[in-house]
Amino acid sequence: MTVLSGRAGWWRRLFAWCYELLLLIPVLLLAGALFQGLFQLLTRMPVDQISHLPWARNLSFVWLLLAMFGYFAWCWKRGGQTLAMKTWRIRLVSATGERVCWRAVLVRFVTALICFAPVIPLWLMVRLDASWLPWAQFSLAWCIIPFAWAWFDGDKQFLHDRLAGTRLVFAPKQPRQQQEQAA
């Protein structure tokens, strides 16, 4: 097991979060393509009908949320790291330093989703109707809450980590010999 030093720095966590957004795009594109393919195969309807059927839109949305949760849950439970976290040498652990439990994974995901999810749809609405601008600005402020929380938190943890009982720690690179022994 990797020797973990102290908590991961605020900037390191922010950059890992930005990188995570880029890596999440292909996950969601693949999940969306799978959903559309299965939708067309099972219903024999053209794929463009998803946007006209409220139940299909809702089902697609739930499917994408499940895919996103599956990606994060698998990575966090398996080794405490997503690809972005590995790149930035960050590991997710419980408050006691152990592997995270399912409850912590779910609480962390849902809390982060509540904070970050409103941003993109509201800013897309602004492009269609400028009257949505105040709501989009509010969503951006809402999105900043987890990062601002880390500035004032005693352990410098994000809001979703505080609520889930998890923490992000710095995971220094292992020497090659230790990597081979761990595998």
Side-chain angles (χ1 to χ4, degrees):
M1 177 106 176
T2 305
V3 176
L4 300 174
S5 58
R7 71 176 169 260
W10 190 89
W11 288 105
R12 180 178 294 271
R13 291 180 286 160
L14 177 66
F15 290 134
W17 181 82
C18 292
Y19 186 34
E20 198 71 70
L21 290 177
L22 292 175
L23 295 174
L24 197 55
I25 292 169
V27 170
L28 294 176
L29 286 173
L30 287 171
L34 180 64
F35 178 84
Q36 289 182 355
L38 287 173
F39 178 82
Q40 189 172 13
L41 194 68
L42 295 173
T43 63
R44 305 272 188 229
M45 298 170 100
V47 174
D48 65 348
Q49 291 300 313
I50 291 175
S51 61
H52 300 295
L53 302 170
W55 66 268
R57 273 196 319 264
N58 293 337
L59 188 61
S60 174
F61 177 74
V62 169
W63 172 255
L64 291 176
L65 282 179
L66 287 173
M68 202 167 27
F69 176 74
Y71 165 73
F72 285 114
W74 182 72
C75 292
W76 293 339
K77 284 293 290 174
R78 187 170 160 259
Q81 294 177 300
T82 61
L83 182 58
M85 293 166 81
K86 284 180 185 178
T87 302
W88 285 94
R89 297 187 189 146
I90 297 172
R91 184 178 311 278
L92 179 69
V93 295
S94 71
T96 60
E98 304 293 322
R99 284 187 178 225
V100 292
C101 65
W102 280 107
R103 181 196 161 282
V105 167
L106 184 62
V107 169
R108 189 174 198 271
F109 178 79
V110 169
T111 306
L113 191 65
I114 289 169
C115 292
F116 302 130
V119 175
I120 294 173
L122 287 171
W123 280 99
L124 291 174
M125 289 301 297
V126 169
R127 294 184 62 148
L128 299 173
D129 182 0
S131 68
W132 282 88
L133 185 59
W135 293 106
Q137 290 169 333
F138 176 74
S139 76
L140 193 56
W142 185 259
C143 180
I144 294 170
I145 288 173
F147 298 105
W149 179 277
W151 282 103
F152 301 106
D153 184 79
D155 295 327
K156 302 296 184 199
Q157 292 299 308
F158 288 135
L159 177 61
H160 44 275
D161 286 314
R162 175 62 63 200
L163 295 174
T166 58
R167 59 189 176 111
L168 294 172
V169 296
F170 179 68
K173 192 171 187 168
Q174 292 179 330
R176 188 170 191 83
Q177 191 176 35
Q178 285 181 346
Q179 287 177 353
E180 290 170 1
Q181 290 174 353

